[in-house]
């Protein structure tokens, strides 16, 4: 315990410090969590910003070995929500003062898809008088496409690196040019160059993953100087190749606990970034997202995908709230956030302070 307290007095953590913090037991982790919440209060405040999540299609051209909507999974009903219904969901977000939406889908690079996204971005801006912030999470694209979407109104991009360790990355993705670690990194650099607020993140508790790997992930986030982060526990999906390692994984509870430690340490290391309380946390613990707020997260992405389609966007199993409508989620969520001691930043974009600072500095 004294070791953890001692590490927490340091201004900068070394790699070995990060590993020790990540290995902390439940008792030892308490001061880490408390410090992280204090840093959050002091640096970004206790307002939680909403990003209404619209999962508009589960059609995917890739085959990530962990993901339930991978191309080779034939046991999933593929869907694509039409423009009018996506815009309806965006309108819902606008009316309920969510201030931002996230457009997410399986990865596609064909022209029809690119044009559709472009159209949606412009229409969402129109319907909200330019007031809805738009984050997109649409995987690896060319520089030209990233630029086109930026010019049409998207200003934040989420692209998880999944693991910053190349060897591990290659164990959880097929070994082909469509799934390249270098390309993923390159995309993150492009997004940053174009001017997006860049968010990345990893899964915690992957097969073969070590605390050393997680420490390196944290160092990567700091070195890359990310604006936003989303990290969630890995959740095994029976229809994916990684399911074969299910007996080698830490328990789901421990994966959740390790994710909380990752969030807390990152908040201490990067006080002014936005950190999301990922939905996967809620798949393991009904209060998972609220607990994440208590250890440093400040963003929640309420699912506003039309209910009819929710059950088919199962990247992992046990996905919560797939039968609820967006209205039900809104009232339930606010009560839970207030219970956790935070409040909702309705009508505010809640952009990453980190981004604001680095762009006024540049
Ligand atoms: N468990 C947890 N998270 C997953 N994702 C995909 N599959 C899983 C899984 N089985 C996450 C990835 C991806 C994000 C959209 O969902 O990190 O980037
Ligand atoms: Fe769709 Fe990974 S399986 S992007």
């Amino acid at each position: 315990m004294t070791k953890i307290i001692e590490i927490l007095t340091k201004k900068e953590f070394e790699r070995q410090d990060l590993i020790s913090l990540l290995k902390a037991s439940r008792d030892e982790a308490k001061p880490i969590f408390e410090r992280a919440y204090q840093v959050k209060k002091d640096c970004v405040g206790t307002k939680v910003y909403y990003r209404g999540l619209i999962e508009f299609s589960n059609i995917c051209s890739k085959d990530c070995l962990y993901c339930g909507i991978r191309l080779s999974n034939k046991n999933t009903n593929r869907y694509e929500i039409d423009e009018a219904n996506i815009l309806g969901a965006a309108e819902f977000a606008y009316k309920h003062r969510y201030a931002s939406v996230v457009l997410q889908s399986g990865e596609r690079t064909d022209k029809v898809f690119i044009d559709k996204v472009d159209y949606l971005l412009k229409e969402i801006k129109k319907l909200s008088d330019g007031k809805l912030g738009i984050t997109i999470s649409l995987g690896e694209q060319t520089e030209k496409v990233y630029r086109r979407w930026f010019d049409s109104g998207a200003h934040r991009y989420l692209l998880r690196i999944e693991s910053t360790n190349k060897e591990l990355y290659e164990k959880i993705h097929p070994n082909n040019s469509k799934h390249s670690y270098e390309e993923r990194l390159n995309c993150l650099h492009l997004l940053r160059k174009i001017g997006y607020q860049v968010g990345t993140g990893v899964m915690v508790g992957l097969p073969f993953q070590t605390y050393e790997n997680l420490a390196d992930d944290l160092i990567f986030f700091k070195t890359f100087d990310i604006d936003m982060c989303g990290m969630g526990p890995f959740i095994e999906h029976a229809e994916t190749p990684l399911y074969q390692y299910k007996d080698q994984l830490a328990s789901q509870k421990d994966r959740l606990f390790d994710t909380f430690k990752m969030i807390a340490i990152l908040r201490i290391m990067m006080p002014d970034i936005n950190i999301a309380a990922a939905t996967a946390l809620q798949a393991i613990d009904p209060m998972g997202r609220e607990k994440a707020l208590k250890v440093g997260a400040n963003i929640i992405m309420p699912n506003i995908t039309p209910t009819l389609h929710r059950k088919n966007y199962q990247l992992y199993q046990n996905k919560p709230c797939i039968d609820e409508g967006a209205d039900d989620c809104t009232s339930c969520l606010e009560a839970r956030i207030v219970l956790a001691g935070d409040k909702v930043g309705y009508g505010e974009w809640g952009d990453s302070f980190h981004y604001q600072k680095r762009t006024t500095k540049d």
Side-chain angles (χ1 to χ4, degrees), residues 50-56 81-104 117 119-135 302-306 326:
Y50 279 177
R51 315 279 185 240
L53 176 63
I54 308 171
E55 302 159 328
F56 66 86
I81 304 180
D82 60 37
E83 279 91 343
N85 280 303
I86 301 172
L87 295 175
E91 226 167 306
F92 171 91
Y94 185 51
K95 280 208 188 105
H96 289 78
R97 307 185 61 230
Y98 278 20
S100 291
V101 289
V102 181
L103 295 182
Q104 190 175 77
V117 171
Y119 169 81
L120 289 169
L121 294 170
K122 289 181 179 145
E123 289 299 312
I124 293 173
K125 282 288 164 193
K126 255 193 235 160
L127 73 83
S128 67
D129 230 353
K131 292 203 182 78
L132 261 185
I134 313 177
T135 307
N303 194 338
I304 56 168
T305 308

Side-chain angles (χ1 to χ4, degrees), residues 178-192:
K178 242 186 170 185
H179 300 82
S180 140
Y181 175 78
E182 284 76 20
E183 190 46 37
R184 180 64 59 109
L185 262 184
N186 184 40
C187 283
L188 285 169
H189 285 286
L190 288 176
L191 291 164
R192 164 114 180 179

Side-chain angles (χ1 to χ4, degrees), residues 12-46:
E12 296 253 326
F13 301 142
E14 319 230 334
R15 183 169 187 266
Q16 194 49 53
D17 296 331
L18 295 173
I19 296 169
S20 302
L21 293 175
L22 286 166
K23 287 185 175 170
S25 66
R26 282 180 167 69
D27 267 349
E28 288 171 331
K30 278 191 191 136
I32 308 177
F33 293 157
E34 282 164 13
R35 165 67 74 82
Y37 192 62
Q38 192 60 45
V39 171
K40 164 178 151 171
K41 272 209 276 198
D42 295 345
C43 299
V44 292
T46 53

Side-chain angles (χ1 to χ4, degrees), residues 60 62-64 67 70 107:
C60 192
K62 290 178 93 170
D63 236 343
C64 307
C67 187
R70 63 198 300 270
E107 193 170 312

Side-chain angles (χ1 to χ4, degrees), residues 5 9 17 32 47 52 55 58 62 72 77 111 122 194-195 207 209 215 250 259 262 303 310 315 345 356:
I5 307 272
T9 63
D17 296 331
I32 308 177
K47 262 191 208 164
E55 302 159 328
N58 66 353
K62 290 178 93 170
S72 301
N77 290 319
K111 185 169 182 315
K122 289 181 179 145
I194 292 165
Q209 192 178 43
T259 309
M262 285 290 280
N303 194 338
R310 286 191 195 191
L315 309 184
Q356 293 175 25

Side-chain angles (χ1 to χ4, degrees), residues 64-332:
C64 307
L65 304 181
Y66 44 82
C67 187
I69 63 164
R70 63 198 300 270
L71 181 64
S72 301
N73 181 10
K74 302 295 175 215
N75 284 330
T76 183
N77 290 319
R78 301 289 167 174
Y79 71 89
E80 187 177 354
I81 304 180
D82 60 37
E83 279 91 343
N85 280 303
I86 301 172
L87 295 175
E91 226 167 306
F92 171 91
Y94 185 51
K95 280 208 188 105
H96 289 78
R97 307 185 61 230
Y98 278 20
S100 291
V101 289
V102 181
L103 295 182
Q104 190 175 77
S105 78
E107 193 170 312
R108 275 173 57 186
T109 52
D110 55 280
K111 185 169 182 315
V112 173
F113 179 78
I114 291 165
D115 289 347
K116 173 171 172 167
V117 171
D118 198 62
Y119 169 81
L120 289 169
L121 294 170
K122 289 181 179 145
E123 289 299 312
I124 293 173
K125 282 288 164 193
K126 255 193 235 160
L127 73 83
S128 67
D129 230 353
K131 292 203 182 78
L132 261 185
I134 313 177
T135 307
I136 47 179
S137 177
L138 305 168
E140 294 173 14
Q141 304 288 341
T142 62
E143 177 168 1
K144 201 168 144 212
V145 171
Y146 282 151
R147 255 186 219 287
R148 182 168 166 210
W149 289 344
F150 185 76
D151 292 340
S152 296
H155 59 119
R156 310 184 191 106
Y157 206 104
L158 302 176
L159 181 65
R160 287 192 183 173
I161 183 87
E162 314 299 355
S163 168
T164 60
N165 182 281
K166 184 167 150 58
E167 253 169 67
L168 179 54
Y169 189 93
E170 287 171 358
K171 283 188 183 141
I172 62 170
H173 293 98
N175 179 17
N176 61 34
S177 59
K178 242 186 170 185
H179 300 82
S180 140
Y181 175 78
E182 284 76 20
E183 190 46 37
R184 180 64 59 109
L185 262 184
N186 184 40
C187 283
L188 285 169
H189 285 286
L190 288 176
L191 291 164
R192 164 114 180 179
K193 185 175 89 177
I194 292 165
Y196 282 97
Q197 293 176 49
V198 181
T200 190
V202 295
M203 285 178 282
V204 180
L206 286 162
F208 318 112
Q209 192 178 43
T210 63
Y211 285 118
E212 286 73 13
N213 293 151
L214 291 172
D216 291 334
D217 293 338
L218 291 169
I219 294 168
F220 171 86
F221 298 152
K222 177 98 186 167
T223 316
F224 188 90
D225 199 31
I226 62 169
D227 303 308
M228 319 181 284
C229 190
M231 294 183 283
F234 166 66
I235 301 172
E236 64 276 26
H237 190 302
E239 305 285 342
T240 65
L242 287 194
Y243 194 70
Q244 62 186 299
Y245 304 111
K246 65 178 193 309
D247 298 331
Q248 296 175 29
L249 302 172
S251 69
Q252 289 208 347
K253 265 195 152 160
D254 284 348
R255 278 176 257 162
L256 188 71
F257 176 54
D258 286 344
T259 309
F260 290 147
K261 282 187 279 185
M262 285 290 280
I263 292 174
I265 300 167
L266 184 63
R267 173 57 70 200
I268 302 171
M269 291 169 74
M270 302 189 76
D272 58 1
I273 63 168
N274 277 345
I275 304 181
T279 318
L281 296 162
Q282 202 190 353
I284 295 186
D285 177 343
M287 292 298 283
R289 291 186 303 178
E290 291 75 5
K291 288 180 185 169
L293 298 178
K294 281 286 188 205
V295 302
N298 69 325
I299 300 288
I300 286 195
M301 296 162 48
N303 194 338
I304 56 168
T305 308
T307 314
L308 172 66
H309 299 289
R310 286 191 195 191
K311 61 178 180 311
N312 292 319
Y313 200 85
Q314 296 224 41
L315 309 184
Y316 44 83
Q317 285 165 318
N318 256 338
K319 203 160 165 243
C321 292
I322 50 178
D323 298 321
E324 259 80 32
D327 268 320
D328 307 320
C329 289
T330 309
S331 44
C332 144

